[in-house]
């Protein structure tokens, strides 16, 4: 169950309370933020700045990250309570036992061990939550670092990468959509834009028709003569993505988007929205990013992509990320252009996406004389 927004840690309130005695027993779960006017720690003339600071703090991390950190903190608090151990001050030995319980499937009642990636995220979450309360958790302490190293060695599984949707796959997927319906036109535009832009699913649904149109926007578009300019706000700041026009209207992301905007009568606000009224009207609400994953999975299965595999395996292969990795795997251009399009900080990350394109390109077996 996802926690309510009011259950999220309020960093500003936490920082303002750092002067309280350290032996004061804190709550085992984050408390709702205090009204600015009720704060006893700031002069009245600074309350407006405190409100603005809260806005900036919220913008420092995504809503999904805050929800995950709040959920992890609550789970840790519940585990400590059941084991009869104290949460404060942060004790590396207690945390080491907690991550051991996660790896052993003894944190919750389902007795299912957590994945190594989940344990590492929860460890990061504890570090962050303690830091917001003015206390440091030493992850390098042997009770944590050594246990975590052992968990990685014993339980780490090979990475599971989603199947890349290649151009011929995408064309087949587009053919499964109804060109005569608003929903089909919208889905067509989302698939083509996601692929050509190398966009994450959250980036696709977070776009607006123009700059500064909604508060929950993650970017906007500009339709130009030679293509589409997408301005995105990512983890490392703002970046621009150029989406050129296709070789034909049938596969052009710009034409697909223009058609959707025209027939959907969308000129302001969220770019991709729900289609309502038995597919005859366009709503005002922005799509959830899960819709992208469902769309890719549904159309890939309908198009018979990777039909050599059983359907149960095929269902697990495709997700929203398949579009992003598909562009990197198929674009025969200099690596630096792909890196820029995907917004990667390092070339090494881009090379991981290009795995399918570069497989067996160099045959060391033959090169060695065999």
């Amino acid at each position: 169950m996802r926690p309510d927004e009011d259950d999220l840690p309020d960093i500003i309130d936490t920082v303002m309370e750092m002067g309280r005695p350290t032996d004061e027993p804190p709550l085992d779960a984050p408390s709702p933020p205090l009204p600015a006017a009720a704060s006893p720690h700031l002069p009245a003339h600074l309350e407006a700045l405190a409100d603005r600071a809260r806005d900036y703090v919220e913008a420092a991390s995504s809503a999904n990250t805050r929800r995950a950190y709040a959920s992890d903190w609550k789970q840790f608090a519940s585990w400590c309570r059941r084991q009869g151990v104290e949460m404060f001050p942060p004790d590396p030995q207690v945390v080491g036992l907690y991550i051991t319980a996660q790896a052993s499937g003894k944190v919750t009642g389902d007795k299912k061990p957590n994945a190594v990636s989940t344990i590492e995220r929860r460890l990061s979450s504890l570090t962050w939550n303690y830091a917001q309360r003015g206390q440091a958790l030493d992850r390098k302490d042997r009770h944590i670092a050594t246990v975590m190293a052992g968990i990685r060695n014993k339980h780490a599984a090979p990475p599971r990468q989603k199947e890349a949707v290649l151009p011929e796959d995408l064309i087949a997927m587009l053919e499964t959509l109804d060109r005569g319906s608003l929903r089909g036109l919208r889905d067509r535009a989302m698939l083509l834009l996601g692929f050509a832009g190398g966009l994450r699913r959250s980036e696709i649904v977070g776009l607006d028709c123009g700059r500064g149109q909604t508060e929950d926007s993650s970017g906007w578009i500009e339709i130009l003569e030679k293509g589409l300019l997408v301005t995105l706000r990512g983890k490392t700041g703002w970046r621009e993505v150029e989406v050129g026009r296709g070789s034909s209207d049938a596969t052009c992301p710009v034409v697909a988007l223009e058609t959707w905007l025209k027939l959907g009568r969308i000129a302001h606000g969220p770019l991709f929205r729900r289609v309502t009224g038995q597919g005859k009207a366009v709503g005002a609400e922005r799509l959830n990013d899960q819709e992208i994953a469902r769309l890719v999975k549904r159309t890939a299965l309908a198009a018979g992509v990777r039909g050599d595999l059983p359907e149960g395996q095929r269902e697990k292969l495709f997700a929203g990320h398949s579009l992003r990795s598909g562009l990197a795997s198929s674009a025969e251009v200099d690596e630096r252009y792909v890196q820029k399009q995907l917004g990667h900080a390092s070339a090494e990350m881009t090379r991981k996406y290009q795995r399918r394109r570069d497989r067996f390109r160099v045959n060391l077996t033959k090169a060695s004389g065999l």
Side-chain angles (χ1 to χ4, degrees):
M1 182 176 67
R2 284 164 54 166
D4 296 330
E5 289 292 333
D6 285 344
D7 290 330
L8 303 179
D10 191 296
I11 305 174
I12 297 301
D13 289 333
T14 302
V15 171
M16 290 193 296
E17 292 176 359
M18 284 176 59
R20 67 188 174 108
T22 56
D23 59 351
E24 178 185 339
L27 295 177
D28 61 355
S31 56
L34 296 173
S39 172
H41 303 285
L42 287 177
H45 69 281
L46 291 180
E47 297 297 349
L49 285 177
D51 287 338
R52 179 62 62 88
R54 287 187 177 91
D55 293 338
Y56 287 143
V57 166
E58 184 173 343
S61 58
S62 70
N64 287 339
T65 297
R66 295 193 301 274
R67 277 192 290 265
Y69 279 10
S71 177
D72 292 342
W73 184 248
K74 285 185 174 182
Q75 188 199 73
F76 177 60
S78 177
W79 180 85
C80 287
R81 186 170 56 250
R82 292 195 307 271
Q83 306 307 318
V85 296
E86 297 294 331
M87 292 178 65
F88 291 89
D91 185 343
Q93 187 171 9
V94 170
V95 174
L97 293 174
Y98 172 64
I99 62 176
T100 299
Q102 291 183 76
S104 305
K106 296 182 179 180
V107 171
T108 56
D110 57 10
K111 297 183 179 180
K112 182 180 179 181
N114 293 120
V116 173
S117 59
T118 300
I119 298 173
E120 289 179 327
R121 191 208 70 209
R122 285 180 175 157
L123 186 55
S124 297
S125 176
L126 294 186
T127 304
W128 182 89
N129 273 285
Y130 273 122
Q132 306 318 311
R133 288 155 178 79
Q135 302 191 41
L137 174 64
D138 183 8
R139 291 182 57 170
K140 294 182 180 180
D141 184 280
R142 62 187 178 87
H143 292 98
I144 298 177
T146 307
V147 171
M148 195 65 233
I151 290 174
R152 291 191 191 99
N153 289 339
K154 190 169 184 178
H155 298 293
R160 295 181 180 179
Q161 296 174 321
K162 294 300 180 181
E163 186 80 4
V165 168
L166 301 180
E168 58 269 24
D169 301 328
L170 182 62
I171 292 173
M173 291 161 63
L174 294 173
E175 291 301 316
T176 68
L177 300 173
D178 182 5
R179 297 192 184 189
S181 70
L182 285 172
R183 185 174 287 108
L185 293 175
R186 180 202 65 189
D187 292 350
R188 186 180 188 85
M190 290 194 300
L191 286 176
L192 285 167
L193 179 59
F195 181 91
L199 304 181
R200 300 176 177 88
R201 65 189 192 189
S202 60
E203 293 172 339
I204 298 173
V205 300
L207 291 172
D208 278 355
C209 296
R211 180 172 184 169
Q213 294 183 347
T214 63
E215 293 184 357
D216 62 343
S217 167
S218 62
W220 66 90
I221 64 164
E222 295 177 75
I223 299 178
L224 307 174
E225 181 181 351
K226 293 185 178 181
L228 185 72
L229 185 63
V230 182
T231 305
L232 292 168
R233 180 178 59 209
K235 296 180 180 179
T236 57
W238 291 94
R239 64 187 176 96
E240 289 184 344
V241 175
E242 299 173 2
V243 178
R245 294 183 180 271
S247 55
S248 71
D249 287 353
T251 58
C252 177
V254 184
V255 170
L257 186 59
E258 289 175 324
T259 303
W260 158 245
L261 292 176
K262 179 180 178 181
L263 298 183
R265 298 181 179 179
I266 301 172
H268 188 276
L271 197 60
F272 296 115
R273 314 172 183 194
R274 297 194 177 280
V275 176
T276 61
Q278 297 181 336
K280 297 181 180 180
V282 177
E285 295 182 359
R286 186 185 307 279
L287 278 182
N288 185 286
D289 65 351
Q290 289 290 340
E291 294 295 332
I292 303 296
R294 297 189 188 104
L295 171 63
V296 172
K297 186 184 295 290
R298 183 176 68 251
T299 54
L301 293 177
V305 181
R306 289 307 307 269
D308 55 309
L309 297 176
E311 185 169 341
Q313 292 185 29
R314 293 172 62 215
E315 288 181 347
K316 299 177 182 179
L317 286 178
F318 301 100
H321 220 69
S322 297
L323 299 175
R324 185 169 163 85
S325 59
L327 175 72
S329 299
S330 56
E332 295 286 347
V333 296
D334 191 290
E335 181 183 272
R336 57 181 172 167
Y337 295 114
V338 178
Q339 180 181 345
K340 178 183 177 183
Q341 189 83 344
L342 299 184
H344 286 155
S346 68
E348 182 59 33
M349 178 60 71
T350 304
R351 294 186 191 110
K352 292 180 180 179
Y353 278 68
Q354 295 175 323
R355 57 193 181 277
R356 185 161 181 171
R357 186 196 70 179
D358 294 334
R359 269 182 204 150
F360 304 112
R361 179 170 289 191
V362 177
N363 189 330
L364 293 181
T365 305
K366 290 184 177 179
S368 66
L370 298 180

